[in-house]
Amino acid sequence: LFFLLGVWPRLHAGKAIADVQKDMRPNVVVVPSQRAKANMELTLPGTLLPIQEAQIFARTNGYVKRWLVDIGATVKQGQLLAEIETPEIDRELKQALANQQQVKANMELARSTAARWKAVLKENAVSPQEVDEKISALKARQADYAASQASVERLIQMKAFQRVNAPFAGTITGRNVEIGQLISTGNPDPNRWMFKVAKMDTLKLYISVPQSHMRMIKTDMPVNVLLKEFPLPFAGKVLRTAGALDPQSKTLLTEINVPNENSELASGMFVQAKFALNQTEPNILLPSNTLMVRQDGPQVAVVANNTVQMRKVKLGRDLGTQIEILAGVDDRDMIVTNPTDAMRDGVNVNMKVAEPEKPAAPPAAKPEDKPAAPKPADKPTAQAPATVAESKVK
């Protein structure tokens, strides 16, 4: 009895002290750390371009004689687009042909002379030196003939360039030529093109993928191409990647091909490319209000056994209300939300797990919002029959 009378008050007093100490602990709200979903979507903007496009320039000097196609026209490979008059090339070609005939005549004369001198040499009527000179003269005339023939062939090719043909099948997307316009191949102006041809049965799309997602981009990966003008997406496919990041933007250039057999899409349209990515090791996502930025870097407060542990973290992408954590936090760690500057290692706290947000219930209809019940129609009242006297008065 004496023992109980001595121990019981002490136990009761110790419990009271523990309760007081527990009440003196700061209360914190924590959330468990969770990894992002393995399947994620990445949407990036881009502009549609033709699978093949070329600006057609003239290769000869002259004047435009006629043009045969205009913008929007569909052309075949090798189809004539325009013709150029080349009077100077024609005169040069005639002069080169005449010069070739002259050189050919001199070559034939040198050949016959060398043959006669070879025959005379057998009779020892001339010296070998003279025969060698005639043979060398023949070789020189043959070289002159080869040079004149090359000049003629060059001018013939230049004259063939007076016919401007389509390099491939496609659509004329630009015309920059008129009849009588001077064409000069010596003009270095890049805007002196004659036609623009584009092949648009398949369109290409260049997307800059961020470094954090580059490992998940694979060749032949399907891609949904979204446009505001169309309710359904268009099916695309990753054709190739650059294989190296842009040193300035730290992005991976990726080419996507989009079939366009029905010509529903046009070159130059702004689109959104949506990738369906599969992460082998998703990163941990934490609410933005759990992060503490201090002098030695970003940190979070982790609660274990009602004790605070400050941990340095490595940040990933900022998703607005959430932040990716690349290192420093494990799965299911309890992270303090809205931590104060007084948060330090070893602080004892009372932990409360934050409840998940519930979707807001639709507002209840007010009594005055209810439609008023229709009023019953007034029944016609029966009139009393007029008396005989009233009838007479009327």
Side-chain angles (χ1 to χ4, degrees), residues 290-309:
T290 60
L291 187 64
M292 302 176 62
V293 181
R294 293 185 172 178
Q295 186 176 2
D296 52 350
Q299 299 179 4
V300 295
V302 180
V303 178
N305 297 326
N306 293 331
T307 303
V308 174
Q309 298 177 2

Side-chain angles (χ1 to χ4, degrees), residues 173-208:
T173 59
R175 179 178 66 85
N176 190 25
V177 64
E178 293 292 346
I179 296 177
Q181 180 178 345
L182 175 64
I183 301 297
S184 177
T185 57
N187 190 354
D189 187 2
N191 296 322
R192 299 294 295 177
W193 49 268
M194 300 179 66
F195 296 94
K196 286 184 180 180
V197 184
K199 187 177 182 181
M200 293 184 289
D201 55 350
T202 300
L203 298 177
K204 61 183 177 181
L205 177 65
Y206 288 109
I207 298 295
S208 297

Side-chain angles (χ1 to χ4, degrees), residues 36-98:
K37 296 181 180 179
N39 297 327
M40 62 173 296
E41 293 182 349
L42 176 64
T43 303
L44 298 172
T47 302
L48 292 175
L49 299 173
I51 190 66
Q52 191 174 4
E53 186 177 17
Q55 294 180 348
I56 302 176
F57 290 82
R59 290 292 308 277
T60 185
N61 299 326
Y63 296 90
V64 177
K65 181 178 181 181
R66 59 172 182 162
W67 53 268
L68 305 175
V69 294
D70 210 338
I71 58 174
T74 302
V75 297
K76 299 179 181 179
Q77 184 177 3
Q79 181 176 338
L80 181 64
L81 305 181
E83 248 184 303
I84 302 174
E85 281 186 315
T86 57
E88 296 180 356
I89 298 296
D90 295 340
R91 288 193 294 270
E92 291 180 6
L93 179 58
K94 289 180 181 180
Q95 182 179 358
L97 289 173

